[in-house]
Structure formats: structure tokens, C-alpha cells
Amino acid sequence: MEHALLDLANAYIDSTNALVFLTGKAGTGKTTFLRQIRQTSTKKLAVVAPTGVAAINAGGMTIHSMFQLPFGPLLPGLAEGPENKYDPEKRELLQTLELLIIDEISMVRPDVLDQIDMILRNLRGNTFPFGGIQLLMIGDLAQLSPIIRMEEWPLLRPYYDSPYFFSSQVLRKHTFVRIELETVYRQSDPVFVKILNAIRDQEISESALEILNTRHIPDFIPGTDQPFITLSTHNRMVQELNAERLGALDGDEISYRAVVRGEFPADAFPTDTMLKLKVGAQVMFVKNDSSAEKRYYNGKIGSVTRLETDTVYVTSPNGQELAVQAVEWTNIKYELTGDTVSEDNAGSFAQIPLKHAWAITVHKSQGLTFDRAIIDVSEAFTHGQAYVALSRCRSLEGLVLRSPVTMRNVIADPAVLRFNAQTVHLSANRQTLVQHQEEYRLFLLSELFNFSTWKEHVLKFKELMPNAETEILSVAEKMSAALAMYSDERIRKASNYFKEKLELMTAALQPGLPGLVGTSRELAADADQLLQWIIDRCALLEQFSSATFSTSVYLETRRKSTKLSNSLLKKLNARPNEELLEQLMNWRERTAQSENILGSMLFTEQTIALVAAKLPQTLKSLSGIKGVGPEKTNRYGAAILTMIRAYEEQRNGATEQVRLF
């Protein structure tokens, strides 16, 4: 059954653009599915999450960083979207995305989801939800809920029934499918699984509570050979317990300082920037071992046995001693490289992958698994806390309760119960898959004849393309409402019509033609962008001017057409000073390697290309290039200008000295 659900989920991602809510109990493999999709999907995708820690764990960006959203309430119709403030790279990235994955969706507010929807529709000139991008929402509503300050909810209440994502206006207007994973892999004891399910469904019985409370052991003190971790609902209690237990240990305290480079938000730091340890300290790994040996995993607990300058030795419960050195976490940002949405490194955090493990907050335990845990939910103050805490444990035997669990501690949220009851009919199956595959085919057909995204570009070159608005834009707009009724023959005729009209315009936009001589660099760049778009679209239209339209052929042709247009544009408009550009790129890689960082963290390829194109002659002019700035000019300016001077001398025999001031 579970394999069938996973196959269904994969099919939905591969062959539809339906909105999908993937949910399931704790430990059912939601995170594993996310990792698989990131590795195998052919769609251009990005992963976002509501918090810094969740984003780092998911291998993506925070929602607010990706979409440059302000914090605080985003009122529908009143909150100004940032899409007009995006730089060209961000706009092109969001216009190119095909799949947006939001992890830990249970913590996303409805106004945030509506804002994303509005931004993507506006940027892509597309009235479909999220501008036609497929949205995959992953999470469990029985777990942690959105954080909304007391003063914020009165502002949002007139627009939303609840603080959850499912109350967003976009999801109330548009259908989504629900796929719920059912097999629990974390726990194998059917009694414990049944208790957890009852808490998750907010239907815990007195008899189930009695069984659970057999694990209440008053004044329990774990032995030194028993690595129990305490889960508490309050951060203050966690900090006090960890500090108290560390201070009680004999021996010297050694500190390990993290190295933070580039952009890495403090709320996403996976452990302390100054990690203080002693021999005997109980610690928890905060990262999976990436080596082939897989010696440790995120959440594994052990005890410090030796401390060296750059190495911490940790003994696990089975007696194995592990030598642990600093590892690196990366803060991902997404960039469009050619026709590929690629992950770039905006910053990094390097530290010993350990943190004190006598105690942890319930909030930070989400996603972790423990063999032994002491849990105190007597002061649970919000929906989901008790379930998250208890479901971290592998077994009932490995669980110790500080206080008995009562009905009062299992905090219910009627909005979640109503949503679960109301969305049973939205469960995906093979029949709904066929329906959504056909809807995706019609969506792609509408995309083929959608020219609204480049309307503003066409108007900039109205003198060069005087008939574009009437012969292409207006005709396409009139067609859109009737596309679902088009026969194969009519699609072929429409494809041929638009292909011929677009081909007439390519000559007007080719670099170096009289119509573009003397234009600004910005306008020339717009011409390049429009030309690439036209060439892409012509390749698609040519395919369907003689062949039957289908989803698979469209997607394959679109991928190939982008590569063809890139190749053609490169010939039409080769980047200036290619030889210098190559020298600068080689220098960047050598310098980055010597400083033990990624080349993109030193200078992006776009910045290096700008330097090669502009050939700055002074430090001041170099500093003014986007992506360089004063600090990098001070460090690397002399080396860069020296390469420029050598290149110019070789090219034209120039003898003028490069001016450093």
C-alpha cells in the first residue's frame, strides 16, 4: 500500500502541475520523499521552508528570503508585493520555476501563501494558482503550528478562518489533492503506535493514557551509561539544564569556534557558534555523516571521551568511539544558469557537528529520532507539542515521563480537525491522476500560446516590431478562452501562424543591427532576453505545426529548445573578451581554493563576466561594478587590474600603465 502511495505521489510530481499536500504521521518518510524528489525530478525546482533551521534541514531557502517578503502580516489586496523590486535574475528565476516545494507547511501562515501566489501570478503573467508553478506542500498538521504574535492575529482574522495554510484564499478557491503516507517506520511497537495515532487524531482515551503513564517514573535519574535526552516545551528550562550538567563535570572546558562565511542567518545556526565541551559531556550529532561509513546521524546521542584542538572523540551507546571534526552546512540560494535552476552557496557554517544533549526543546526536536528520552509536556502551551515530543521516541520502553500526561496536555485545535474531515474527498487516486494529467496538458497548451510575459518587452521595441501587438498579442489573447476545444489540426495551424510571425521579428532584434545601435546596455540586454524567448518559442511552435500536441513531447521539446536558443544566442552575441574572461575564471578558482571557499562565494560568474566586459582601469571603477564593491576591491583589485593590463597589452600592444588610484 505504501509503495503504491509513493508511486502515486511521484506520478503527480512527474506528470501534472496539480497542487499537492503530502502529509502523514511522524516517521512515515516525508523527508525521505523530499530528498528523492530533489534528486530525481526533471522539473526546475526550488525548496523553501518557514524557518531557518527547517530550510537548512530541507536543503533549501527560507520562504522570506526566496521571495524577499517582509515579516509581519501580509494583508490580501493591501500588502504590496515585492515582485516589482526583484532584480532581473530573481525575476527570471521565478518565471522559470516549474515546481515549488514548501517543507514544514504546518508552520506556514495563510497570508504568506497568498502572497507567494500573488507574486508568481504577477511575475509570470498567468492566472493559474501560483502562476502555473506546481506546488508541493509537505508536512503534518498534527505537529507544530504557525507562530502568530498576539497583536498580529486581529489584523489577519477578517481575512482568514484560522492561522493555518489551508485557510489561505488561494487554497479555498482552488482544488488540491491530498496524499497521506500511512506506514510508520520510526516505531515498530503497535501499542505505542496506536497511542501516538490517538494523540495525533486528538481522540486519546483514558485507557490509552493509563498505558502511556506507566512510563511516568518519579525522580528518575539516568545513569551515566544511559544517554537520555530531556524534551521540554520551554527554551529557558533547556538552557538551564544543559548549563547545569556541563558545569557539574570535572575537567577543563574546551571551546570550539564556528567559522561563518557569506550569508548564513543566525536563526539557522545548527549548533553553538562557540561550542563549549568537557570530557563526559552528553552530546547529540546535528548532521548526518556524509561519508560512506554513515557513522552517525542527526539526533544520535553519545558521550565525549577525548578533546583535541580540532577533533572531538565521542563514544556511542554501543561502545564505538568516533573521531569528529568540523563539517560544513551551506545556505542555499537558487540561480538560473542557462536553462537550469541551480543551487548556489550563499554562505556556510562550519563547526563540530555536536550540541549539548541533556535537553532540547520540543520545537527543535521536530524531525529527530531518539532511542531514550525524558519528556515533560506538563506545560505544553500549543497544539501539536505533546504529539511531536512523544513521537520522537522509537519505543515506549525508551520513554520516561517527568509528569503524567493528562487530557489537558493534549491540546486540540478544532480547525485542524475540521480540515481533516473536510479534505477526505480530496485524497488522490489513479482516477484523479488521469484527470489532473489532462488538465496539465491543457495548461501546457495554454502556455504555448501565452505571450503576455513578454508584452512589456515588445512595447519597448515597438518601432522595430510595429505589428507585434496586433498580429501576435491580441490574437493570442482572443484564442485563450477556446483552447480546450481546439482540434489537433487547429493547434497545428495556430502553431504555424505564430511561428511565422515570430520569425519575422528575430532579425529586428539581432545584436549589431541598425535599430539597436546606440541603445543603452539595459535596452540591449532586454533585446537579448526577448530574442532568446522568441527563439525558444519558435522551436516549440515548429514542433507542433506538424505534430500532435502532448505533454511529454512539449516538455522534451522545451528542454531542447532552450539549449538550442542558448547556442544560437552565443553565436549572435558572444560575450566580450572571452580570453580574459577565462583567465579571470581560472584565477577565481585558484584563489577560492587557497582560501578554502567556493568560487561563487568569491565572485559570481556574472560579476566576472561584467569585469571582463567593462575592462575597468582603476580601483574606483572596479569597485563600482555590481558584485565587487570596496571590500573585495581592496583585497583582490590589484591582481584583477594586473590581469586586465596584461590582456590589453597582448591584444593591442597598449603600454599605458594600469592606474591603481
Side-chain angles (χ1 to χ4, degrees), residues 220 222 226-232 238 241-242 282-284 299-301 355-361 365 368-376 392-393 398-400 402:
F220 174 77
Q226 297 176 301
F228 276 82
I229 185 169
T230 296
L231 274 65
S232 174
V238 167
L241 180 56
N242 280 328
Q282 181 166 293
V283 291
M284 176 178 68
K300 180 176 180 135
I301 293 176
K355 70 190 307 179
H356 301 146
W358 290 286
I360 189 174
T361 61
S365 74
L368 301 180
T369 301
F370 303 117
D371 292 317
R372 297 184 181 91
I374 301 169
I375 292 178
D376 184 4
R392 299 309 95 197
C393 302
L399 166 66
V400 172
R402 276 277 188 239

Side-chain angles (χ1 to χ4, degrees), residues 5-153:
L5 285 173
L6 290 171
D7 289 344
L8 182 64
N10 273 306
Y12 257 96
I13 301 305
D14 288 342
S15 61
T16 81
N17 68 336
L19 310 182
V20 178
F21 174 37
L22 181 78
T23 187
K25 307 174 182 70
T28 50
K30 297 184 294 296
T31 300
T32 302
F33 180 80
L34 168 58
R35 290 176 184 149
Q36 175 206 325
I37 289 296
R38 290 184 68 219
Q39 293 172 357
T40 62
S41 178
T42 58
K43 290 185 176 179
K44 299 181 181 77
L45 65 84
V47 181
V48 295
T51 67
V53 171
I56 294 298
N57 289 340
M61 297 177 66
T62 64
I63 292 172
H64 284 77
S65 177
M66 179 73 170
F67 292 95
Q68 297 170 211
L69 298 179
F71 291 96
L74 303 165
L75 305 184
L78 299 177
E80 181 185 354
E83 66 271 7
N84 293 326
K85 303 173 186 175
Y86 290 153
D87 60 35
E89 290 80 10
K90 177 57 70 72
R91 293 174 69 88
E92 190 175 4
L93 168 67
L94 294 177
Q95 287 169 345
T96 305
L97 276 183
E98 297 170 316
L99 172 62
L100 177 66
I101 302 174
I102 303 181
D103 196 24
E104 302 292 3
I105 189 67
S106 69
M107 293 192 286
V108 176
R109 298 192 327 240
D111 57 316
V112 170
L113 205 60
D114 279 336
Q115 190 78 354
I116 294 172
D117 172 55
M118 180 191 73
I119 289 169
L120 293 176
R121 288 188 201 221
N122 290 344
L123 271 180
R124 298 164 69 91
N126 192 313
T127 58
F128 279 76
F130 302 96
I133 291 177
Q134 182 172 34
L135 182 66
L136 170 60
M137 301 166 283
I138 301 178
D140 179 10
L141 282 164
Q143 300 191 42
L144 299 179
S145 52
I147 297 174
I148 297 183
R149 295 185 180 91
M150 188 178 299
E151 67 272 15
E152 293 177 340
W153 183 236

